[in-house]
Amino acid sequence: MKILSVLASHDASVAYFVNGKLECFLKEERFSGIKKDGGIIKCVAELIKKNYDIDTVLVNSVAIYDPYIQSNLIPWIKKQFDCEIVLMRTEHHLCHAFLAFEKSKFEESLVVVIDRNGTHHEKVTEVESIFKINKNYDFETIYKNFVRTTHITVQEDGMHLSENLFDIETHQFLKTLNCDVMCDSSCGMTQMYESATALMGQDIHEAGKTMGLSAYGKNKNYKKLFYEGVVNSHYFFKYFDQEQENDVCFNKDFIDDKTSEITKDNYQFYADYAYQVQKQTQEEVLRLVKKYTNKTGIKKVCLVGGYALNVVCNSYLIKSLPDVEFYFEPIADDTGITIGSSLLFHQRTENIIPKIPYDTFFHSFKYDLKNIDGEQADEKQIANYLTQGKIVAVFNGQAEVGPRALGNRSILFDARDPDAKNKINKVKNREWYRPFAAIVLEKDSKKYFNMYHLESSPEMTISFPVISNEIPGVTHVDGTSRIQTINNSISHFYNVLNEFKKLTNVSVLLNTSFNEAGKPLIETPQQAIETFKNTDIDILWFPEKNIMLTK
Ligand SMILES: [Fe+2]
């Protein structure tokens, strides 16, 4: 059975399975060059047609009836692929949950899904869910939080008002669910978080920027944004941002204070609010995890859904609940839905549990490098260049699936340099308040970071307090760093770190994704060479061939 699973909203992707084995995973943005690209998946469809046969296309949708999918996407897919089309449209959170559970390798766990929007049911939308899943893929829904769908109108004075559409039928529907149900708010945790992102003048999908800025915030005496799972709606309302084409939740107190740019002069107000949504949402996640681990007695927990990319919250959970074993899914956003829905589909139709790769998750094409010529460069030479302050880009094997660079499309730099951020920003041009991540030899990680009770953190899903003053280039203003611990499973990074350590006695390097400002992660060798030529990157290294390009 050859199945292509498609998600065509933002962060569009396809996952191609043959007899239950994931053969290929592609993101549209990596080929179109447009970050978070979605809609009609033109580029990846062409590539799939060229390389693979398909029996069935699985189309994922969060709505019972989505006019875009019905009238645009499905006819377009029919034209592209001459095969059966299955619409999978009711279990968005369960798809997230199956992916996280499968990759966690737990025998049984709770899976907490925290999402901006899941499946729409009539007049409510799921935003947070907790499932109990076991290795036979038997699952039980434990908790659901829905938000009430609202009807948005624009008033003469430009104000956007919302009318609550919640009604008796919806009430009846919620009563049929055999689990704890909440439905008292008009926005969930993720949208609460996005209110700070929107206030900062950013696209709401850029929550990572909010997380970066929150570290600059001061803890002030703010009003409570949650009461036992209920968003304090009095302070929030939704409006439709036509530029972004998204629902945005705003704190009413701040509606006039939206900025177009966070500067070193105006940042404090925005940072204080970002700090507050960070603090209060992570408190709410902790409350949920505590409540349901106590209630079920299950001490293994997976976190998934867009909010699970929040490395600060993940760190807070690890620190607060040492008796709980956590798995944070790195493909937590909707990118993972195409894989999760295939797992569900295979299990239901074929009664098989598909095979997906576990440890690191690189799953696009493997490119032929035979036409690339350069100077010889082994790990020792690369380490030596890094001690000289060179910016080194790495291109190796298949690209990372998720948003973090984990070794195959990375830019490396000396973490000891206090000015590292400014130097790397010549290439990346990121906002001044955002930190850079680090790689560290797993065996040395406790020398540099308070790892709490953990031995490793291989997927950059947690930030840790820095306990060394040797690595200012990767230490954020709040004294933390998002890290990837490296062992010899990623041999080129492992060897570079060991060689760098021999030269400097430090086994940490700055590691950021290989891309230009505002562009998606590099996919092909051609894109890599072009970016190398157009930017201030000093060296482009191909570890598979032990060669490099220099300027
Ligand atoms: Fe989602």
Side-chain angles (χ1 to χ4, degrees):
M1 198 177 192
K2 297 165 184 169
I3 293 179
L4 184 73
S5 176
V6 172
L7 181 74
S9 66
H10 64 86
D11 285 306
S13 69
V14 296
Y16 178 62
F17 283 81
V18 177
N19 298 327
K21 185 168 172 280
L22 180 61
E23 290 286 322
C24 187
F25 175 90
L26 302 173
K27 285 180 83 168
E28 180 72 6
E29 63 161 24
R30 306 282 169 87
F31 299 92
S32 72
I34 300 163
K35 207 173 168 189
K36 297 186 173 292
D37 201 5
I40 299 287
I41 41 162
K42 232 182 192 160
C43 302
V44 290
E46 280 308 313
L47 290 163
I48 290 286
K49 276 197 291 185
K50 215 160 92 186
N51 291 284
Y52 305 109
D53 291 330
I54 292 164
D55 303 326
T56 305
V57 177
L58 200 61
V59 178
N60 294 276
S61 162
V62 292
I64 303 292
Y65 180 80
D66 180 329
Y68 171 77
I69 288 183
Q70 300 288 351
S71 54
N72 292 64
L73 187 65
I74 289 182
W76 185 81
I77 286 177
K78 273 187 184 147
K79 228 189 275 172
Q80 303 297 315
F81 302 101
D82 180 24
C83 64
E84 191 191 346
I85 294 177
V86 176
L87 188 60
M88 189 128 173
R89 61 190 177 188
T90 56
E91 294 166 288
H92 185 84
H93 279 191
L94 195 60
C95 294
H96 273 307
F98 266 47
L99 172 67
F101 176 76
E102 176 61 18
K103 284 187 67 209
S104 72
K105 297 189 198 166
F106 291 147
E107 298 266 297
E108 180 185 59
S109 84
L110 296 183
V111 184
V112 180
V113 185
I114 305 171
D115 213 0
R116 81 179 304 273
N117 272 327
T119 301
H120 306 302
H121 296 271
E122 298 293 329
K123 289 160 185 170
V124 294
T125 303
E126 57 180 7
V127 286
E128 287 122 31
S129 303
I130 300 180
F131 303 96
K132 185 172 110 179
I133 306 183
N134 70 24
K135 63 176 180 184
N136 299 322
Y137 278 24
D138 293 330
F139 76 92
E140 190 186 323
T141 308
I142 305 274
Y143 168 79
K144 282 265 179 198
N145 187 13
F146 293 91
V147 292
R148 299 171 178 208
T149 308
T150 49
H151 177 69
I152 313 294
T153 51
V154 182
Q155 303 296 297
E156 275 178 15
D157 60 1
M159 284 294 284
H160 298 66
L161 294 177
S162 55
E163 177 194 334
N164 204 324
L165 298 179
F166 192 73
D167 56 16
I168 191 73
E169 287 81 27
T170 313
H171 189 67
Q172 293 297 339
F173 158 73
L174 295 174
K175 269 172 68 181
T176 64
L177 299 171
N178 193 18
C179 66
D180 288 356
V181 175
M182 304 272 307
C183 189
D184 298 306
S185 312
S186 59
C187 82
M189 257 185 267
T190 310
Q191 285 190 315
M192 166 81 74
Y193 204 86
E194 287 168 354
S195 69
T197 314
L199 196 68
M200 287 159 61
Q202 295 289 340
D203 182 294
I204 52 165
H205 298 106
E206 298 281 6
K209 296 185 183 179
T210 316
M211 198 166 61
L213 185 67
S214 71
Y216 289 83
K218 292 196 180 90
N219 188 14
K220 290 184 180 159
N221 192 17
Y222 261 75
K223 56 187 151 265
K224 267 189 114 171
L225 302 172
F226 291 100
Y227 291 96
E228 292 285 304
V230 182
V231 170
N232 189 351
S233 306
H234 174 70
Y235 297 111
F236 283 83
F237 72 105
K238 277 176 156 183
Y239 84 102
F240 188 73
D241 185 327
Q242 290 183 330
E243 255 171 56
Q244 296 187 4
E245 294 191 345
N246 273 308
D247 283 350
V248 179
C249 281
F250 260 114
N251 186 323
K252 277 181 184 172
D253 296 347
F254 296 151
I255 190 72
D256 295 327
D257 294 307
K258 186 174 169 178
T259 185
S260 56
E261 195 191 351
I262 302 289
T263 68
K264 287 186 180 171
D265 295 323
N266 75 0
Y267 76 88
Q268 197 62 56
F269 168 79
Y270 303 97
D272 290 347
Y273 185 58
Y275 177 89
Q276 208 54 222
V277 291
Q278 177 67 46
K279 187 178 146 204
Q280 294 203 34
T281 52
Q282 70 188 27
E283 227 25 270
E284 174 62 10
V285 180
L286 178 65
R287 185 191 70 82
L288 277 177
V289 173
K290 260 189 190 166
K291 179 175 173 181
Y292 288 100
T293 49
N294 286 338
K295 199 170 172 181
T296 61
I298 298 171
K299 299 290 182 188
K300 294 183 193 304
V301 175
C302 302
L303 233 80
V304 67
Y307 188 88
L309 292 172
N310 192 314
V311 297
V312 178
C313 173
N314 295 350
S315 175
Y316 183 64
L317 294 173
I318 295 270
K319 184 177 146 191
S320 307
L321 298 172
D323 62 330
V324 174
E325 194 180 340
F326 283 99
Y327 172 75
F328 304 109
E329 174 51 55
I331 319 167
D333 62 16
D334 283 358
T335 305
I337 287 294
T338 48
I339 305 170
S341 67
S342 306
L343 300 181
L344 207 58
F345 183 77
H346 278 88
Q347 194 256 349
R348 286 185 181 168
T349 58
E350 309 276 295
N351 203 20
I352 52 167
I353 296 171
K355 294 183 195 75
I356 55 174
Y358 291 105
D359 297 333
T360 50
F361 207 57
F362 308 107
H363 227 283
S364 174
F365 293 116
K366 196 156 171 29
Y367 295 95
D368 186 351
L369 305 177
K370 69 173 185 294
N371 292 328
I372 296 173
D373 290 322
E375 300 164 47
Q376 282 296 305
D378 60 16
E379 284 99 344
K380 201 172 171 176
Q381 283 160 293
I382 294 298
N384 199 19
Y385 282 119
L386 286 163
T387 67
Q388 294 166 20
K390 302 285 188 201
I391 301 174
V392 178
V394 181
F395 185 99
N396 184 63
Q398 294 161 295
E400 289 82 347
V401 170
R404 318 279 188 223
L406 298 174
N408 281 1
R409 303 290 188 274
S410 283
I411 293 173
L412 300 179
F413 194 71
D414 190 343
R416 298 172 306 160
D417 185 344
D419 202 29
K421 203 153 109 174
N422 288 333
K423 290 175 181 166
I424 293 299
N425 264 340
K426 283 186 194 161
V427 179
K428 303 275 292 193
N429 196 22
R430 300 207 315 181
E431 290 79 3
W432 60 270
Y433 52 83
R434 296 175 68 191
F436 282 107
I439 50 171
V440 57
L441 282 180
E442 188 179 297
K443 60 187 179 200
D444 294 344
S445 53
K446 289 179 183 168
K447 204 174 127 192
Y448 300 97
F449 307 100
N450 174 359
M451 299 284 291
Y452 305 119
H453 55 282
L454 301 183
E455 296 301 319
S456 66
S457 179
E459 290 178 316
M460 261 194 200
T461 49
I462 307 163
S463 72
F464 295 95
V466 179
I467 54 170
S468 158
N469 57 13
E470 291 178 289
I471 48 171
V474 292
T475 306
H476 198 23
V477 64
D478 61 354
T480 64
S481 189
R482 173 161 54 86
I483 66 168
Q484 178 190 12
T485 55
I486 302 289
N487 58 30
N488 59 11
S489 65
I490 302 182
S491 63
H492 60 290
F493 266 18
Y494 181 73
N495 294 338
V496 166
L497 281 167
N498 272 308
E499 293 297 337
F500 190 79
K501 186 182 172 183
K502 280 185 206 161
L503 295 167
T504 63
N505 210 23
V506 169
S507 46
V508 179
L509 286 165
L510 181 153
N511 172 27
T512 186
S513 52
F514 184 10
N515 57 285
E516 272 182 87
K519 294 264 182 71
L521 197 70
I522 293 288
E523 172 67 32
T524 67
Q526 290 71 31
Q527 289 170 357
I529 291 168
E530 211 172 293
T531 302
F532 165 69
K533 284 181 181 163
N534 294 337
T535 62
D536 282 342
I537 293 170
D538 298 303
I539 291 165
L540 172 56
W541 181 38
F542 295 92
E544 291 155 285
K545 286 189 81 178
N546 262 344
I547 59 166
M548 65 174 178
L549 307 183
T550 55
K551 284 173 178 158

